[in-house]
Amino acid sequence: MAAAALRPAILRRIRLSPSPPLALAAAASQPHALARWLARPMSSHDAHLTREEVVDRVLDVLKSHPKVDPSKVTPEAHFEKDLGLDSLDTVEVVMAIEEEFKLEIPDKEADKIDSLPLAIEYVANHPMAG
Amino acid sequence: MASRPKLSGIQKQVLTLYRGFLRTARLKDPEERLRIESVVSAEFRDNARNVDRRNFVYIEYLLRRGKRQLEQLKNPDITGLATLEVKK
């Protein structure tokens, strides 16, 4: 088939760079940084999100909800019992988390998320969270 | 409410509808989105406060009406919601 014949030609033209060139350039100027960069965990979603980052950003989303008292927000807090949110607020909060991490959480999953630990867990385990 | 009871089927439907409105609002212009969110949120909160939770017939009616409105709002040509206040 024509498509099969085209394939190698196309593949030859496409160059995949396995890393952002900038990171390499920066790393090259600092030998230790390069070693650290080479030793980074190799997974499909290593690049951006650490667990601390997920926790921080989820906490920030909660703190910025108009009904939440920011001083009560902890990584262990339950939306309803600790933060006084009702079920409509909970929908809003989970949607805000979706938006923060550019995710779409299916209804069935979203219904189960009623606390910070569950929200953090969900985002941390999501390969597409960014 | 002591130790969060499981949500009933009809409560879940209401929350799913609310989520649907918020998702659809995201697709509109930022200004319109804010207006839709405030109208929709006010409507849901008002009903949550004022509708007797055992009045299933009425809640089912509101659900049906809401779903119809959501379908209309999903149309990309529809840019927003308008509400008419009927004074009681």
Side-chain angles (χ1 to χ4, degrees):
Chain A
M1 280 216 304
L6 266 178
R7 204 162 165 260
I10 292 171
L11 285 179
R12 234 174 303 145
R13 297 246 158 221
I14 298 174
R15 231 166 273 148
L16 287 176
S17 70
S19 59
L22 272 180
L24 246 189
S29 63
Q30 299 169 292
H32 295 297
L34 178 61
R36 237 178 298 129
W37 181 79
L38 288 172
R40 77 204 192 284
M42 294 283 191
S43 74
S44 59
H45 54 104
D46 65 290
H48 357 264
L49 287 185
T50 64
R51 191 170 177 93
E52 296 87 82
E53 203 181 331
V54 171
V55 173
D56 282 350
R57 282 165 64 191
V58 171
L59 290 177
D60 282 344
V61 169
L62 264 292
K63 285 177 188 169
S64 59
H65 190 276
K67 283 215 197 143
V68 171
D69 172 355
S71 68
K72 290 188 180 160
V73 177
T74 69
E76 283 79 43
H78 187 278
F79 295 157
E80 216 172 298
K81 288 178 214 149
D82 301 317
L83 303 179
L85 298 179
D86 63 21
S87 54
L88 290 174
D89 298 321
T90 298
V91 169
E92 290 169 14
V93 162
V94 173
M95 298 268 310
I97 291 173
E98 279 191 344
E99 220 170 352
E100 168 67 24
F101 293 94
K102 304 187 180 59
L103 296 174
E104 179 130 340
I105 307 178
D107 286 352
K108 260 181 100 178
E109 304 295 328
D111 280 340
K112 294 184 205 146
I113 301 176
D114 61 1
S115 67
L116 272 105
L118 285 179
I120 291 166
E121 212 43 45
Y122 187 89
V123 175
N125 289 328
H126 200 296
M128 301 299 278
Chain B
M1 273 199 270
S3 77
R4 185 188 166 135
K6 276 243 181 259
L7 293 170
S8 69
I10 200 165
Q11 280 174 311
K12 276 190 187 160
Q13 284 186 60
V14 172
L15 295 178
T16 301
L17 182 64
Y18 189 48
R19 196 177 291 122
F21 271 109
L22 296 185
R23 278 199 203 294
T24 306
R26 278 184 188 169
L27 307 175
K28 310 289 178 183
D29 296 338
E31 198 182 315
E32 202 51 55
R33 171 183 173 176
L34 281 180
R35 192 152 64 220
I36 294 170
E37 284 173 351
S38 83
V39 169
V40 168
S41 145
E43 176 85 9
F44 274 79
R45 296 205 173 272
D46 187 54
N47 284 324
R49 245 191 318 274
N50 298 322
V51 176
D52 182 345
R53 53 192 298 129
R54 290 157 303 182
N55 193 348
F56 295 116
V57 175
Y58 185 55
I59 298 171
E60 298 269 10
Y61 159 73
L62 289 173
L63 271 171
R64 276 197 306 278
R65 197 183 68 180
K67 282 177 192 164
R68 211 163 48 232
Q69 288 168 327
L70 177 56
E71 284 315 309
Q72 286 169 351
L73 191 64
K74 280 182 181 167
N75 179 338
D77 295 336
I78 305 279
T79 56
L81 288 177
T83 48
L84 262 185
E85 282 300 324
V86 180
K87 294 273 170 265
K88 287 163 198 161

